[in-house]
Each structure stands twice: as C-alpha cells, then as structure tokens.
Amino acid sequence: LPPSRALAVDLGVSRGVVTDVYAQLAAEGYLKTRRGSGTKVSQLAMPRQTPSPASDAGSGSIDFDLRPGQPDFDAFPRKRWQAEVARALRVIPSRALTYPDPLGIGELRTAVSDYVTRVRGVDARADSVIIGPSTTYGISTIWRALRELGARRVGIENPGWRWQSRTVQQAGLQAVPIAVDEAGLMVDELDAAKVDAICLTPAHQYPTGVVMTSDRRSAVVGWARRRGALIVEDDYDAEFRYERTAVAALQGLAPDLIAFCGTLSKTLVPALRLAWMVVPRRIHAAVSKQYADTWPGPSVIDQLAAASFIERGELDRHIRTSRRRYRLRRDALVSTLSSRAPELRIGGVAAGLHVIAWLNRPVDDVAIASSARDLGLAVHSLHHHCFATDAVGPALVLGYASLSEPQLRRGAAMLANLVRAAQ
Amino acid sequence: LPPSRALAVDLGVSRGVVTDVYAQLAAEGYLKTRRGSGTKVSQLAMPRQTPSPASDAGSGSIDFDLRPGQPDFDAFPRKRWQAEVARALRVIPSRALTYPDPLGIGELRTAVSDYVTRVRGVDARADSVIIGPSTTYGISTIWRALRELGARRVGIENPGWRWQSRTVQQAGLQAVPIAVDEAGLMVDELDAAKVDAICLTPAHQYPTGVVMTSDRRSAVVGWARRRGALIVEDDYDAEFRYERTAVAALQGLAPDLIAFCGTLSKTLVPALRLAWMVVPRRIHAAVSKQYADTWPGPSVIDQLAAASFIERGELDRHIRTSRRRYRLRRDALVSTLSSRAPELRIGGVAAGLHVIAWLNRPVDDVAIASSARDLGLAVHSLHHHCFATDAVGPALVLGYASLSEPQLRRGAAMLANLVRAAQ
C-alpha cells in the first residue's frame, strides 16, 4: 500500500484518517505493518458466503403422518397465544428484561405449581418447580445431578421412549432396560438391576399405553425408599384420558422420592419449547446448579405469556376441546383398523396421542413400517422403541392427534391392507 | 463428618451412595479419610461463591445500577418485537409447530449467518450456525464436546468473566487463568499453560475493555494451529464501538480453529434468551450431538420472529440508535468521574456497555463496591472478575447503558466521593 502521507494527499483527506484506517485494518489482520518496510496486505483467506444446502433431505412426501407424540398442530390457538405475548410485552417492567432466574420466573413457577397440583395431584410449591425448554433437557440435568451424587445406573422402560437411553448415556450413566407388561413396569426386576434411579411413564406407558397398577405403584415407591433411589415420572401426555379421569401422578405418593416432569409439547405444541419439573428437595440443589451453570431458560416474555395462559384457564379450555377431538380421532383409527385388520390387537387404555397395535404373528414390524413409508404413510414400529437385545412385539405405534377423521380412516385402511398382506 | 452408615439413615439413601460421595470428595481433596479416625473436612481455600452472572446479592434497594453487562432495558422495541411475533404466528405453517431442528430453524440460521458475516466479518454458513438460549449454554456444550474429544485444560482470561470458570468446571475440565495486559491476552503464557482451548474476548476484553492487538491476534492463531487447540471467541458486545468501526471478529482469520459466539442479550435484552455460535467443522458433530441430546432450543416462534427482525434490518437500526445513546451515557459517566476523581484512570477503548476505572493506590476495591452498595449504588469490583490467587487491580467495573445521563452524573459523583475518601 502507498505510504499514509501519499494516500492522504491522493484522497484529499488528513493523514490521521489514513493512519487510523491502516491501524484498523492491521488490527483486523488484513494488513501487516512493519517499521521501515511500509504497509502490506496480509495473505488471508477471506470469508466467503456459501448458500446453505437445501434442508429437505429428499425422502418421499408424507401424506399420512401417524408418528406418535404429535398433537394437533392446526388447533394451536395462535390468536390467544399472540394476545398473551402482547399482554406480557405490555405489562413486563423494563427491569425484568434482564437475566432471569435460571429456574424460571416466579409467575410461571406459581402458575405451574397450581396447575400440576390441581390437574395431576402433584405435591408442588412454586419453589420446587423448575422451568426449562423441554423434558429432555430437564431429565438430562437430573441424570447429571445424580451422577455427581454418586449414581451409576439408571433403569429405563423397555419398550420405552428410545431417546431416553441417549439422555442417560450422555450424562455418563449406564441405561438399564427394565421390562414392561400389562401392569406397567415390572418392579420385581429393579432389585436385580441394581439401578440408582428409574424413569417411568405411569399414567400412560410410552409406547404400550398401559396404566401402572396401584400394586405396582406401591411396589416401585417401596423399592425407591428401600434403596434410596430416585423415580423420575415423565408425565408427558397424561392430560388426555378419554374414558375416565386420569390417574393422579405417582409423585403425590412420595414427593420426597419422585421428580415429576410435565410439558406443553403435547397439550399445546412442541414449538413453544416450554416444560417443567417438580423436583424433590434432595436433588434440588444439584439440579438447580445445572440450570444456573448452563442457563437454558426460555424467553422471559414467553414464560410470562404461559403463566397468564395457564392462570386464565386457557390451557384447561384448550385441553378440554382437544380431548373431545382426539377421542373421535382415536375412535376413527381404532374402528377402521379393527374392522379391516382384525388380526391387529389394540393395546393400552384410551388415552394420550397414540395407540399401539399388536400384530398376532411373528411378522417384521420394521418391514411393515418401511412399506407404509413407501406409500406416504409414516408410522413407528414397536421395534424402534425397544432395546435391540430385548425386543418385544411385533407391533405398530400409531399417532392420531394431528390427522382428521377422514384422513385417519383412509390411512388406517391402507395400513390394514399392508398388515393383511404381511401375515 | 458422621459415619457413612449414620448419614445414610439420616438422608434416607443407601449406604453405598454415601460411601461413593465420601470417596469422590476425598478424591477431589475436600475430605480426608483416615482409617480408624473417621472422615474429616480438609482445610481448603474454597473458591468464593459467586451468585448468578448478572445479579448480585444485596439487600437494600439499588438506585443506581452500574453493574456491567446490562443494555438499556427501556429501549427494548416492544412494539416491533410484538409485531414480529404476530407475523411469525401468522405465517408459520402448522407442521412447523412440531419438534424443531435442535440446532435452530433454517430461517434464523440463515439470518444470523448473513448478519455475522456482514457486521462482524465472520466466515459463516447457515449450516455452521447453531442457535441456543444463551452464550453460556453454547460455550458449555463446546467444553463438553472438547472433553469427549480428549481435552483436559481450558485457558480463560484473567481478569475475565467470572462465570466462565464455572462453565469449564461443570464440563469436567480444568480452568487455567491466563493473564491479560493492555494488548489483550498474554499469548506467550499459553504454551506453558498446556491448555487445549482458550476462551477470548478479543473485540473488547471483559472486563478490562482492551482490544487485542493484531500481533497478539496472529500469535494466538499461530499458537492454536501449532498446538491443534481451539479458540472460543466470545463476541458479547462487539456491536458497540463508539469512536471507530469495530475490529472484525478474530474468527475470520482462522475459521477452522475458532468458534464464534454472539448474542441478542447485549444488542436487545437478555430476557429474549437467544444466542448463536458459528462452530468449526472439527467440533461441529460433537457440539451438535449435545444440542440434539438435551434439546435446549428456543421457541420456534421466537426464532422466526428474530430471523425477520434481523433480516428486515431492525436489529441494525436498534443498534445504531443504541450506539448513539450509549456513547453519550459513557461520556457522562467518564467525564464526571474524571473531573471529580482524577485519581481514577479509565481503561480500555470506548466500546461496549461498561468501563473499567483503575484506582491508583492499593485500596480495597471490594470494600469500595460494598460501601457504594450501602448508598444504593451497585458496581462491580475488578476483584470480582479475577481468580483470587492472581488478582489484579484495584479497579471498579461500571456499566452505563441502562441509566440516563443525569443518573450517571449523580451516581458517578457519589462514587467519586467514595473513592476520594478511600484514598
């Protein structure tokens, strides 16, 4: 580059401007200045802008999405949520726009504690509630806390939510599959498994749909008390029970032994990324530290919106109308399957967002799910939710909440044909 | 400590848990176990307990909040943000209300990649961007990923952001303080420190406010390349530079060696809980796995709102008006301090949301901060940001962005009196 004095004359600016610019570019690494040898342009790879690759991974389109765990996205009350956000933005004091309590804002912790006490029979106080972005996140922090407290092995349901083993392993613990039968988790197996904690879905076992019996409930609490173990209750979709009132949360039986996890992902939509836990005193400090150290909390504005949405009864109203709709959808799916493919046995109670359909012969449920996918029909095989070494089945796991009744009837008819062809 | 058997009974846990904990604490040096004489607590200098990053415990009311790191909460564009949320809720397809990509939605990753390329000279593509709730969270995942890849020691700036050592330790790594002088991190110390990574604030060192010189920039990149180490660039407040254009991000010099972290906490408000990272290819898979396994992502609706806010130029506009206001506020604080307490030396460049005021005699900056607090004046001592064993100073760290000019003049005058009284 020309000497600063020469360039200043060329450009008709003061020399100070040029030396400032040279100094700036040198600080950014674009120029190299050495005394006596002038200013040179650095050899640098310049940042370049590359467009992102198309995000669609190229699998065929899904016409009937019967994957489990998805609520009715069309029913999300967009206007009401918008009104709550607008209200939150109107009322929140400026000072509350700073770094929030990493465990969640007081308004939402209070609203959640009232809600889970009233609706799920949970023993909760605002200060035992922790707000986070997802149940996955919350449970991960429990595993990490337990590991710090000396735990080594965690029992998970088999069949069960497949991702749970990832959360356990990610925290440096060993995941130990424990079998599930028609009465829920086989509690008798826990002693031999030598686990320090167990993760359960007692209200509506995922994915078999069974409700844990009261004998098993007492037994698992007794086991936890004897062993000094922790129970994690994943209450993911318990708000939806269609033939009777939902069984209360297990947590109410032993709040000192049980961490309770709830979410808006099933009652509203996963996109909100809002979930909560009620954690017992003995792990509260260790779990809180995880939240304080990594700071995962959701937007304060969204937390305030959610608090109002819950306290004004909007969540209850939305659940009530969703329950009626989901029940009709479940009926449409189940009745079509039962009439078209009587060899399928529908398992579990009428609850939640999915059913399990057991196949009565040893056919390959993975192959059926794969053939279905070729027809634009997305379903899960039970195999997908089992530890490979202890697979049960065959069965299909079918979500119904996000499809209309006519869609469900058509999808179920296609699926029935596939099943019949496979038997 | 009580015998393990007695403590196990007291806590209602198995004795194995207690002996494991005792063994762990003994291994970490907190306990001494001698056969026959029981378990005793070691004589250890405990790290001083810091409360959460932004909030300091302190009972009385705060009339002048001069704590660093806080933007102007009153200036948050509530109406514009509300409009963006409303728009997002109007345009988002129902299907996008399901579980999102844990690395962030495509729209926001693209918007951020454009923004950091344009404004900070970062070499980014949409698929190298990861969206998360906070820089704290993002950096925590980097440490965990590095640990899985075999790292053991991480260098952090001293003085530096005090919380950083927590994020390092939480991930099971050792935090090694590296000194900072007027030219930035003392890169010469890195070889002897034998660290596998270093966390830097090159654009505006926190809290000393110095800009890393171009020599040091080249040197640290050279060190990282020789050693195969990773540089984490925490670009927390680089958008605010008042006398000249901000120095471009270090990341542009060596995108293969440097992870870049940016946030909306300083340019907008922390309450939004939205931050991003651009991570190099070699840790991308390991960091992505952390996100996929614990699922910390912010609301999809907020991500869509933020993408539009950035792409429509609203963020740039907000930064431009904030920059003018913050510059006047900084001037008000600095000029009052300079005229009333000439023994204070203002350090660092005119940038960011805080200044450092060095005291010219060995007085106790912690005591001054504490006396200030009694007068309703919240400030940080530099001591607060130092490793106790390697403290530099004395100095005060003063935020100015959230107070009006008259408030700043009054607060600065009160502070000047305290400083003069202490000298």
Side-chain angles (χ1 to χ4, degrees):
Chain A
L1 288 176
S4 57
R5 194 183 308 267
L7 187 58
V9 171
D10 277 5
L11 298 176
V13 298
S14 79
R15 193 182 162 202
V17 171
V18 175
T19 53
D20 270 5
V21 169
Y22 278 16
Q24 174 79 16
L25 289 169
E28 294 182 10
Y30 295 109
L31 299 184
K32 275 191 202 299
T33 325
R34 203 173 307 157
R35 199 186 294 247
S37 72
T39 302
K40 298 215 163 79
V41 177
S42 307
Q43 300 271 342
L44 275 183
M46 291 297 288
R48 71 184 172 286
Q49 193 61 26
T50 329
S52 62
S55 58
D56 206 73
S59 48
S61 75
I62 296 176
D63 300 317
F64 303 94
D65 190 350
L66 289 159
R67 288 175 296 186
Q70 307 193 88
D72 185 358
F73 305 115
D74 291 330
F76 177 61
R78 297 177 185 225
K79 285 280 175 210
R80 294 231 166 98
W81 186 258
Q82 186 184 318
E84 292 295 1
V85 170
R87 188 185 156 279
L89 281 166
R90 211 164 50 236
V91 304
I92 193 170
S94 284
R95 279 281 146 191
L97 296 172
T98 188
Y99 293 89
D101 186 331
L103 302 183
I105 68 168
E107 291 90 336
L108 184 54
R109 294 169 81 187
T110 301
V112 165
S113 115
D114 292 349
Y115 171 77
V116 297
T117 303
R118 175 169 55 78
V119 172
R120 301 293 302 129
V122 172
D123 180 353
R125 299 183 323 277
D127 63 3
S128 58
V129 171
I130 298 178
I131 305 297
S134 61
T135 294
T136 310
Y137 186 80
I139 290 182
S140 295
T141 64
I142 292 180
W143 302 150
R144 289 200 166 115
L146 285 179
R147 184 167 182 244
E148 278 183 17
L149 297 172
R152 291 292 170 267
R153 292 159 64 85
V154 171
I156 61 176
E157 296 173 323
N158 185 39
W161 181 49
R162 191 54 202 249
W163 207 255
Q164 202 63 271
S165 59
R166 295 269 302 251
T167 69
V168 172
Q169 287 153 8
Q170 178 76 23
L173 297 169
Q174 195 183 341
V176 182
I178 309 285
V180 168
D181 67 10
E182 287 295 314
L185 187 89
M186 295 178 69
V187 178
D188 286 351
E189 295 191 0
L190 284 173
D191 275 323
K194 295 193 192 311
V195 292
D196 306 298
I198 176 77
C199 191
L200 292 179
T201 50
H204 186 230
Q205 203 275 330
Y206 191 82
T208 67
V210 302
V211 177
M212 196 178 212
T213 62
S214 71
D215 284 355
R216 291 277 175 91
R217 287 171 178 249
S218 309
V220 78
V221 168
W223 165 81
R225 198 168 299 282
R226 272 198 321 278
R227 182 160 167 94
L230 186 83
I231 300 172
V232 175
E233 178 173 25
D234 182 2
D235 200 59
Y236 65 109
D237 71 357
E239 282 92 344
F240 299 113
R241 183 86 193 250
Y242 307 119
E243 285 162 358
R244 51 155 71 186
T245 310
V247 178
L250 187 66
Q251 191 266 6
L253 296 186
D256 58 324
L257 297 174
I258 305 178
F260 172 88
C261 306
T263 177
L264 290 179
S265 291
K266 312 299 186 207
T267 51
L268 279 170
V269 284
L272 289 179
R273 311 276 70 213
L274 272 166
W276 49 75
M277 300 198 297
V278 179
V279 300
R281 192 180 300 267
R282 60 174 167 160
I283 61 164
H284 194 276
V287 169
S288 299
K289 186 169 176 300
Q290 305 271 337
Y291 276 78
D293 284 352
T294 62
W295 217 295
S299 156
V300 174
I301 295 153
D302 290 352
Q303 290 191 53
L304 202 53
S308 169
F309 191 85
I310 294 170
E311 278 188 342
R312 287 160 180 251
E314 295 286 358
L315 180 60
D316 293 274
R317 264 189 289 283
H318 182 68
I319 290 170
R320 267 200 307 279
T321 58
S322 301
R323 205 183 276 138
R324 284 195 291 274
R325 202 165 49 245
Y326 291 169
R327 179 182 191 152
L328 296 172
R329 290 179 177 187
R330 183 179 188 279
D331 288 348
L333 174 66
V334 167
S335 64
T336 307
L337 286 177
S338 302
S339 63
R340 302 281 196 118
E343 56 271 59
L344 283 172
R345 184 177 63 81
I346 302 299
V349 297
L353 310 177
H354 73 275
V355 292
I356 189 163
W358 297 90
L359 295 147
N360 72 344
R361 294 216 219 140
V363 296
D364 183 352
D365 53 6
V366 177
I368 291 178
S370 169
S371 309
R373 190 69 188 71
D374 293 339
L375 299 176
L377 203 66
V379 304
H380 277 188
S381 64
L382 179 58
H383 199 92
H384 180 81
H385 299 276
C386 294
F387 274 73
T389 47
D390 291 300
V392 291
L396 299 172
V397 184
L398 307 170
Y400 47 77
S402 69
L403 294 176
S404 69
E405 291 165 57
Q407 284 175 310
L408 286 161
R409 282 195 206 92
R410 278 185 58 204
M414 289 167 66
L415 196 61
N417 288 343
L418 272 178
V419 167
R420 305 218 77 177
Q423 302 258 325
Chain B
L1 288 176
S4 55
R5 193 182 310 266
L7 187 59
V9 171
D10 278 4
L11 298 176
V13 301
S14 76
R15 191 178 164 206
V17 171
V18 174
T19 52
D20 272 5
V21 169
Y22 279 16
Q24 176 78 17
L25 288 169
E28 293 179 9
Y30 295 108
L31 299 184
K32 278 189 200 297
T33 326
R34 204 175 306 160
R35 200 185 294 246
S37 72
T39 303
K40 298 218 163 76
V41 177
S42 308
Q43 299 274 344
L44 272 184
M46 293 297 287
R48 255 204 296 180
Q49 193 63 25
T50 16
S52 58
S55 75
D56 285 53
S59 38
S61 76
I62 296 176
D63 301 316
F64 302 94
D65 190 350
L66 289 160
R67 288 174 297 183
Q70 306 194 89
D72 185 358
F73 305 115
D74 291 329
F76 177 61
R78 297 176 184 225
K79 285 281 173 210
R80 294 229 166 100
W81 187 257
Q82 185 184 319
E84 293 294 359
V85 170
R87 187 183 157 279
L89 281 165
R90 211 163 51 236
V91 303
I92 193 170
S94 285
R95 279 281 146 192
L97 295 171
T98 189
Y99 293 89
D101 185 331
L103 302 184
I105 67 169
E107 291 88 338
L108 184 53
R109 294 169 81 187
T110 300
V112 165
S113 115
D114 292 348
Y115 171 77
V116 297
T117 302
R118 175 169 55 77
V119 172
R120 301 293 302 130
V122 171
D123 182 354
R125 299 182 323 276
D127 62 4
S128 59
V129 171
I130 298 178
I131 305 298
S134 61
T135 294
T136 311
Y137 186 81
I139 289 182
S140 296
T141 65
I142 291 180
W143 303 151
R144 289 199 167 114
L146 285 179
R147 184 166 182 246
E148 278 184 18
L149 297 171
R152 289 293 168 263
R153 292 160 65 85
V154 171
I156 60 176
E157 295 173 325
N158 185 39
W161 181 48
R162 187 59 200 247
W163 207 255
Q164 201 64 271
S165 59
R166 297 271 301 250
T167 69
V168 172
Q169 287 152 9
Q170 177 75 22
L173 297 169
Q174 194 183 341
V176 182
I178 309 285
V180 168
D181 67 10
E182 286 295 313
L185 188 89
M186 294 179 70
V187 178
D188 286 351
E189 295 190 1
L190 286 173
D191 275 323
K194 296 195 192 313
V195 292
D196 306 298
I198 176 78
C199 191
L200 292 179
T201 49
H204 186 229
Q205 204 274 331
Y206 190 81
T208 66
V210 303
V211 177
M212 197 178 209
T213 62
S214 75
D215 284 354
R216 291 278 175 91
R217 287 169 177 250
S218 308
V220 77
V221 168
W223 165 81
R225 199 168 298 286
R226 271 195 325 275
R227 185 162 167 94
L230 186 83
I231 299 171
V232 175
E233 178 174 24
D234 182 0
D235 200 58
Y236 66 107
D237 71 356
E239 283 92 344
F240 297 113
R241 182 88 193 248
Y242 306 118
E243 285 162 358
R244 49 158 70 189
T245 310
V247 178
L250 187 66
Q251 191 265 7
L253 297 184
D256 57 325
L257 298 174
I258 304 177
F260 172 88
C261 306
T263 178
L264 290 179
S265 291
K266 313 299 185 210
T267 50
L268 281 170
V269 283
L272 289 179
R273 309 277 72 213
L274 272 166
W276 48 74
M277 300 197 297
V278 179
V279 300
R281 192 180 300 269
R282 61 172 167 163
I283 61 164
H284 195 277
V287 170
S288 299
K289 186 168 175 301
Q290 305 272 337
Y291 276 77
D293 284 352
T294 61
W295 218 299
S299 156
V300 174
I301 295 153
D302 290 351
Q303 290 191 52
L304 203 53
S308 169
F309 191 86
I310 293 171
E311 278 188 342
R312 287 160 181 251
E314 295 287 359
L315 180 60
D316 292 275
R317 263 189 289 282
H318 182 68
I319 290 171
R320 265 200 307 278
T321 57
S322 301
R323 204 183 277 138
R324 282 195 292 272
R325 202 167 46 248
Y326 292 169
R327 180 185 190 149
L328 295 174
R329 290 179 177 188
R330 183 180 187 279
D331 288 348
L333 174 66
V334 167
S335 65
T336 307
L337 286 177
S338 301
S339 63
R340 302 282 197 117
E343 57 271 58
L344 284 172
R345 185 177 63 80
I346 301 299
V349 297
L353 310 177
H354 72 275
V355 291
I356 189 163
W358 297 90
L359 295 147
N360 72 344
R361 292 215 221 141
V363 296
D364 183 354
D365 53 6
V366 176
I368 292 178
S370 168
S371 310
R373 189 68 187 72
D374 293 339
L375 299 177
L377 202 66
V379 304
H380 277 189
S381 65
L382 179 59
H383 200 91
H384 180 81
H385 299 277
C386 295
F387 274 73
T389 47
D390 290 301
V392 290
L396 298 172
V397 184
L398 307 170
Y400 47 77
S402 69
L403 293 177
S404 69
E405 291 164 59
Q407 284 175 309
L408 286 162
R409 280 195 208 93
R410 276 185 57 204
M414 288 166 67
L415 197 61
N417 288 343
L418 272 178
V419 167
R420 304 217 77 176
Q423 302 254 329

